[in-house]
Amino acid sequence: MHFISLTQTTHEFINATVKLGDKAIDATCGNGHDTLFLAKAVGVCGCVWSFDIQESALFIARQRLIEANVLKRVHLICDSHERMEHHIMPESRVGIRVIVFNLGYLPGGNKQITTKVASTLKALKISWQLLERSGLLAVVLYPGHAEGLLETQSVLQAVERLQLQPSRVEHVKTPSEKGPQGLYIWK
Ligand SMILES: C[S@@+](CC[C@H](N)C(=O)[O-])C[C@H]1O[C@@H](n2cnc3c(N)ncnc32)[C@H](O)[C@@H]1O
């Protein structure tokens, strides 16, 4: 069986979309793997805003970014992603080329602290408005746990309902029904 690594798929799509000097948002920083990838992709003149509600996750992410010498181009923000507009000033919003949501709970962390349908949907809607034309909205979904299943169904339905009119959509599923799924939407 061919195993699809969604992290790899997500990073390949990001690389194909982002240019040096672009701006990016990681809506779920966690341990900072995606944030680090984005920070490298946008380069020294680019900028990344990275959100998480857990200070402990941001602490780990900060160490990772320091080690890679890219912290200067990243804003680590301890707040819910549905409030991203409060942290990204209107004059800074031009050039946001990619927004990543890696939903669910922190690997190795408290599984009760997970993304929730209502705030996720609100944040996705705001993200679509913030995204540059031809930019990428990447969402990794985890239907293998109860909240994640609800979230996966809600996100897929909402994307239909919101009629985002994307220029391209890719829906990547892993072989198991309960495995993670990647939804990639280009504006
Ligand atoms: C699957 S992890 C993210 C993995 C991460 N992208 C990485 O590269 O390590 C999901 C993260 O979302 C965070 N989270 C949950 N609800 C959130 C919210 N409303 N706003 C921002 N982050 C949230 C969790 O604390 C957790 O760290």
Side-chain angles (χ1 to χ4, degrees):
M1 188 187 294
H2 177 62
F3 178 72
I4 304 167
S5 158
L6 273 187
T7 303
Q8 209 180 325
T9 305
T10 304
H11 290 180
E12 279 170 15
F13 282 142
I14 290 171
N15 263 343
T17 308
V18 165
K19 298 191 301 294
L20 289 176
D22 277 344
K23 295 169 187 170
I25 299 174
D26 185 350
T28 53
C29 178
N31 291 321
H33 297 284
D34 294 324
T35 297
L36 175 59
F37 188 84
L38 290 169
K40 287 180 178 170
V42 299
V44 69
C45 296
C47 161
V48 180
W49 291 270
S50 187
F51 295 85
D52 206 290
I53 50 172
Q54 296 192 70
E55 193 61 73
S56 55
L58 293 170
F59 180 84
I60 295 169
R62 184 174 292 108
Q63 299 314 309
R64 194 180 303 286
L65 299 170
I66 289 171
E67 274 170 32
N69 199 25
V70 296
L71 183 64
K72 271 191 187 163
R73 64 189 88 154
V74 180
H75 301 281
L76 289 172
I77 300 156
C78 191
D79 201 353
S80 177
H81 41 223
E82 79 208 272
R83 288 177 34 82
M84 60 175 75
E85 276 178 313
H86 297 265
H87 299 277
I88 306 172
M89 295 303 112
E91 62 273 20
S92 307
R93 291 177 191 168
V94 177
I96 300 176
R97 189 80 52 191
V98 63
I99 306 182
V100 181
F101 286 75
N102 193 341
L103 297 171
Y105 49 80
L106 184 67
N110 181 348
K111 293 185 178 178
Q112 304 303 317
I113 307 175
T114 184
T115 50
K116 298 273 193 296
V117 172
S119 44
T120 298
L121 294 184
K122 203 168 165 194
L124 284 172
K125 203 170 166 188
I126 295 164
S127 295
W128 191 252
Q129 289 158 6
L130 291 176
L131 197 63
E132 189 84 350
R133 185 144 291 282
S134 83
L136 167 67
L137 178 61
V139 189
V140 181
L141 300 148
Y142 297 88
H145 65 110
E147 183 72 33
L149 178 60
L150 187 65
E151 197 169 40
T152 302
Q153 292 163 340
S154 306
V155 167
L156 294 174
Q157 282 165 11
V159 166
E160 292 280 315
R161 208 180 50 240
L162 288 173
Q163 296 186 314
L164 303 176
Q165 298 184 308
S167 59
R168 178 184 165 201
V169 179
E170 299 271 350
H171 187 177
V172 180
K173 291 185 186 173
T174 37
S176 153
E177 227 177 77
K178 291 187 169 179
Q181 300 182 14
L183 184 63
Y184 307 95
I185 312 172
W186 284 263
K187 192 163 177 178

